[in-house]
Amino acid sequence: MAGRAAPVPGALLCTLLWAAAAGGGPGGSPAPGAFGRVYRGAVNISSERVYAFAYRSEPGQVDAVRVYVNSSSENLQYPVLFVVRQQKGVLSWQVPLIFRGLYQRTYNYQEVSRTLCPSEPTPETRPSEQIIFVDVASMAPFNIAYELLVTRLESFQLETNKAFNFTASPSQPQYFLYKFPQDVDSVIINVVSDAAYPCSVVSVQDIVCPVYDLDHNVEFNGVYQSMTKQAAITVQRKDFPGEQFFVVFVIKPEDYACGGSVPSSVHGNVNRTWNLQRTKNLQVKIVPSIKKSVYVQAMFFSFLSFLSFYLGSVVVAFVHYIRVQRKASGGRLTPEHGSGIMTSSRPISASTPEGSSYGAIDESSSSGGRQMSSPERRPAAGSDTDSSVEEESDFDTMPEIESDKNIIRTKVFLYLSDLSRKDRRIVSKKYKIYFWNIITIAVFYALPVIQLVITYQTVVNVTGNQDICYYNFLCAHPLGVLSAFNNILSNVGHMMLGFLFLLIVLRRDILHRRAMEMKDIYTLDYGIPKHFGLFYAMGIALMMEGVLSACYHVCPNYSNFQFDTSFMYMIAGLCMLKLYQTRHPDINASAYSAYASFAVVICLAVLGVVFGKNDMWFWVVFSMIHVLASLALSTQIYYMGRFKMDGPDSDLGIFRRAVMVLYTDCIQQCSRPMYMDRMVLLIVGNLVNWSFAIFGLVYRPRDFASYILGIFICNLLLYLAFYIIMKLRSSEKLLPIPMFCIVATAVVWAAALYFFFQTLSSWEETPAESREKNRPCILMGFFDDHDVWHFLSAAALFFSFLVLLTLDDDLDTVRRDKIPVF
């Protein structure tokens, strides 16, 4: 039965063609058509033409047919209508074909060509007959001429690793078929063009008819992205049950979507015929993507690379332990600088003569100042508690003590003993608040961020719009619902090294507590006072930077870049606070004021994202705030927090005090400021900050978040350089470990910044323009330049933290009244 039924389509085809030949008049009877032949004719309201094109389809073969039509008529009231009927679908359009652009502009095309939805390959072993009907009609009361050409496409199926060149225009879109080879699970569709414009769209659609290949409907189905010179889409076999898909290329009638401008000749709402210079030469090449084994290798590489830091830390700690044990057994644990071991019965002077110089002091001055309480009078070290009964406000509340503060902190030469007079428990608890507050901030900040980026990724996956997120599409490896897993994995270094830094700080904290319990004299009265709250906060901030950077790279774009930078601000700010706290433990900012300042900065960053693009008023206000904040902070630092705007005449006292300060420091002592070192630092710092303010006011950079981050980083580097220079100038030395960390920090930061400035995408531009910067992977075929930046910046931040942690280890055996403040 099956063998007899096979010839039926052939017999039906012959019958139809015979009928068309017998009655093929203008009344609509089908006229036989031949592929590759141009048919010319005219239609009107009483006359239409029907053509029948028959062909034979071989078993397992996909046949594609393309229809070219043309009409010289520009009459939009009476267009020529073309209807193509196939076995399983109907495709229709009109000529002139109308496209709509921005502000309801219209563009009319007289020449149109469309690829018909190909017939599905049949499982039969014999060839099958196919027939296509093309109807040409118009409602015009007069004749309208047309041309018709139907061809069979020889190159419709794309091949792996083979480039294919073609041309497309708004009225002549193109699409091709691709089938996954047996051993390929994922491919990357690379599309390039020599010309940026006209703007085009690349779409990947399932094998479903009709194919959406016009500007107004290409976004209805599949995955798509706009394109100027380059586009890349990663496609996985699992997303297409039929293991095949269409690659669709559409040219847009206007270029504004790709960053171009609408030509001045087409401004206005009138209808215009504008089909000149809108063709684009394209080249498509489909290459296999990485295999699953590469994912596993990349994950092992990421974790093992940073686990090596753990191993190195264990080795350093073990070597340090051995050296300490050898020194202890040899009796060589003596303080440096020849100061000798001090007994607890000899208190340390809290002040020095104003004429003293850095490095050493006159022993006779020990009895001249206000003394610190001796170790016997201190509370037991084991009583270090977080009890809320003991607050910082319990100390230094008497007027004579306030007067004593003014005397001590306004001396020309200050020593650490002058600024470490408060009870250690109270100060330590003050800095622990940094740690607990940043954990609270991290939780409340991260949870909405995670929820938002999940929503972003869901929208991308559901709509297929790959213009939402600014990936490096030439090196974006999906995993599960994530579109660029490699950009997320590369942030594991921040979390692992942040946790390692917490472990290192915890070890130091435990050793310090043990020394305090043993009432070790060097812990009590020598070296920099040990307060670890800020270090704990820095470790948490580093881990959160990894989390939020990963969240940002789930869907990087202009709106959520602040997620990637918020904790960068906090890291830079905490590092500056820690550096200042080292020599100013009693007068450093509280956690509440510090985090409130960070909150103001983040608010400004949000306002900059909203208003910083074109609004001049925002930059004027921000620059004024920046300059005034720099002056206010400089005043506080210069006078060690003892500058007070008050006076007996209330309001006039403020101005009188300011005038007196200007007269004293700028006129009376113009040749040499009272605090020369601080003045040099603050002058350079203000020049840098004012330069940033002027730069922002003049150029108004679009990347406002990075602009603020640059301000923080420059101030931190300036302060760190000043600190190291003053440390060396004060005859202090750098031990091998901090020296190694400083060198490693400089080298790794230099390498990291090199990769950071290898721009792979830019949300300051349109998605199509951003894709022009995309580059292939450079590491293991899995990580790109920005991923390497993530790896190196995590290591650089870790070494930077170690610099701050170990920088003053050489002072552990130096009396605090011999450690200068700067």
Coordinates of all heavy atoms in Angstrom, one line a residue, residues 73-74 94 136 172 209 221 228 259 274 282 301 357 364 367 387 450 582 613 663 687 696 796:
S73 N 6.3 51.2 -8.7 CA 5.3 52.1 -8.1 C 5.6 52.5 -6.7 O 6.1 51.7 -5.9 CB 3.9 51.4 -8.1 OG 2.9 52.2 -7.4
E74 N 5.4 53.8 -6.4 CA 5.6 54.4 -5.1 C 4.3 54.7 -4.5 O 4.3 55.4 -3.4 CB 6.6 55.6 -5.2 CG 7.9 55.3 -5.7 CD 8.8 56.5 -5.7 OE1 8.4 57.5 -5.1 OE2 9.9 56.4 -6.3
Q94 N 4.0 43.4 1.1 CA 3.6 44.4 0.1 C 4.8 45.1 -0.4 O 5.8 45.2 0.2 CB 2.5 45.4 0.7 CG 3.2 46.3 1.7 CD 2.2 47.3 2.3 OE1 1.1 46.9 2.6 NE2 2.5 48.6 2.3
V136 N 0.1 37.4 -7.0 CA 0.5 38.8 -7.2 C -0.8 39.5 -7.4 O -1.6 39.2 -8.4 CB 1.5 39.0 -8.3 CG1 1.9 40.5 -8.4 CG2 2.7 38.1 -8.2
Q172 N 15.8 43.1 2.4 CA 16.3 41.8 1.9 C 17.0 41.1 3.0 O 18.2 40.9 3.0 CB 17.2 42.0 0.7 CG 16.4 42.7 -0.5 CD 17.3 42.8 -1.7 OE1 18.0 41.9 -2.1 NE2 17.3 44.0 -2.3
C209 N 8.3 27.7 11.7 CA 7.7 28.7 10.7 C 6.6 29.4 11.3 O 5.8 28.9 12.1 CB 7.3 27.9 9.5 SG 8.7 27.1 8.6
N221 N 11.2 36.3 18.7 CA 11.5 34.8 19.0 C 13.0 34.7 19.1 O 13.8 35.4 18.4 CB 10.9 34.0 17.9 CG 11.1 32.5 18.2 OD1 11.2 32.1 19.3 ND2 11.2 31.7 17.1
T228 N 27.3 46.2 15.0 CA 27.9 47.2 14.1 C 28.9 46.4 13.3 O 28.7 46.0 12.1 CB 28.5 48.4 14.8 OG1 29.4 47.9 15.9 CG2 27.4 49.3 15.4
G259 N 24.0 53.4 18.0 CA 24.8 54.5 18.3 C 25.0 55.5 17.2 O 25.6 56.5 17.4
W274 N 13.9 55.6 0.8 CA 15.3 55.7 1.2 C 15.9 54.3 1.3 O 16.0 53.8 2.4 CB 15.4 56.4 2.5 CG 16.8 56.8 2.9 CD1 17.6 57.6 2.2 CD2 17.5 56.4 4.0 NE1 18.8 57.7 2.8 CE2 18.8 57.0 4.0 CE3 17.2 55.5 5.1 CZ2 19.7 56.7 4.9 CZ3 18.2 55.3 6.0 CH2 19.4 55.9 5.9
L282 N 28.3 41.0 5.2 CA 28.5 40.2 6.4 C 29.3 38.9 6.2 O 29.2 38.3 5.1 CB 27.2 40.0 7.1 CG 26.3 41.2 7.5 CD1 24.9 40.7 7.8 CD2 27.0 41.9 8.7
F301 N 41.8 25.3 38.5 CA 42.9 26.3 38.5 C 42.6 27.4 39.4 O 43.5 27.9 40.1 CB 43.0 26.8 37.0 CG 43.9 28.0 36.9 CD1 45.3 27.9 36.8 CD2 43.3 29.3 36.8 CE1 46.1 29.0 36.7 CE2 44.1 30.4 36.6 CZ 45.5 30.2 36.6
S357 N 63.5 66.1 68.8 CA 63.5 65.7 67.4 C 63.0 64.2 67.3 O 62.9 63.5 68.2 CB 64.9 65.9 66.8 OG 65.8 65.1 67.5
S364 N 65.5 62.8 80.6 CA 65.0 63.6 81.7 C 63.6 64.1 81.5 O 62.9 64.6 82.4 CB 65.9 64.8 81.9 OG 65.9 65.6 80.7
S367 N 59.8 62.7 83.3 CA 59.1 63.2 84.4 C 58.3 64.5 84.2 O 57.6 64.9 85.1 CB 60.1 63.4 85.6 OG 61.0 64.4 85.2
S387 N 31.4 44.7 77.4 CA 30.2 45.1 78.2 C 29.8 46.5 77.8 O 30.6 47.4 77.6 CB 30.7 45.1 79.7 OG 29.7 45.7 80.5
I450 N 21.6 40.6 45.0 CA 21.5 39.3 44.5 C 20.1 39.1 43.9 O 20.0 38.5 42.8 CB 21.7 38.2 45.6 CG1 23.2 38.3 46.1 CG2 21.4 36.8 45.1 CD1 23.5 37.5 47.3
T582 N 47.0 53.9 63.0 CA 48.3 53.3 63.5 C 49.0 54.3 64.4 O 49.4 53.9 65.5 CB 49.2 53.0 62.3 OG1 48.5 52.1 61.4 CG2 50.5 52.3 62.7
K613 N 25.5 62.3 33.7 CA 25.8 62.3 32.2 C 25.8 63.7 31.6 O 26.8 64.0 30.9 CB 24.7 61.4 31.5 CG 24.7 60.0 31.9 CD 23.6 59.2 31.2 CE 23.6 57.7 31.6 NZ 22.5 57.0 30.9
Y663 N 45.8 84.4 60.3 CA 46.8 85.4 60.6 C 48.1 84.7 61.2 O 49.2 84.9 60.9 CB 46.3 86.4 61.6 CG 47.3 87.4 62.1 CD1 47.8 88.4 61.2 CD2 47.9 87.3 63.4 CE1 48.7 89.3 61.7 CE2 48.8 88.2 63.8 CZ 49.3 89.2 63.0 OH 50.2 90.0 63.4
L687 N 45.8 69.7 46.5 CA 46.1 69.9 45.1 C 45.5 68.7 44.2 O 44.9 68.9 43.2 CB 47.5 70.1 44.8 CG 48.1 71.4 45.3 CD1 49.7 71.4 45.0 CD2 47.5 72.6 44.6
G696 N 36.5 66.8 36.8 CA 35.1 66.4 36.7 C 34.2 67.5 36.2 O 33.3 67.3 35.4
A796 N 46.6 41.5 44.7 CA 47.1 42.8 45.0 C 46.5 43.4 46.2 O 47.2 44.0 47.1 CB 47.0 43.8 43.8

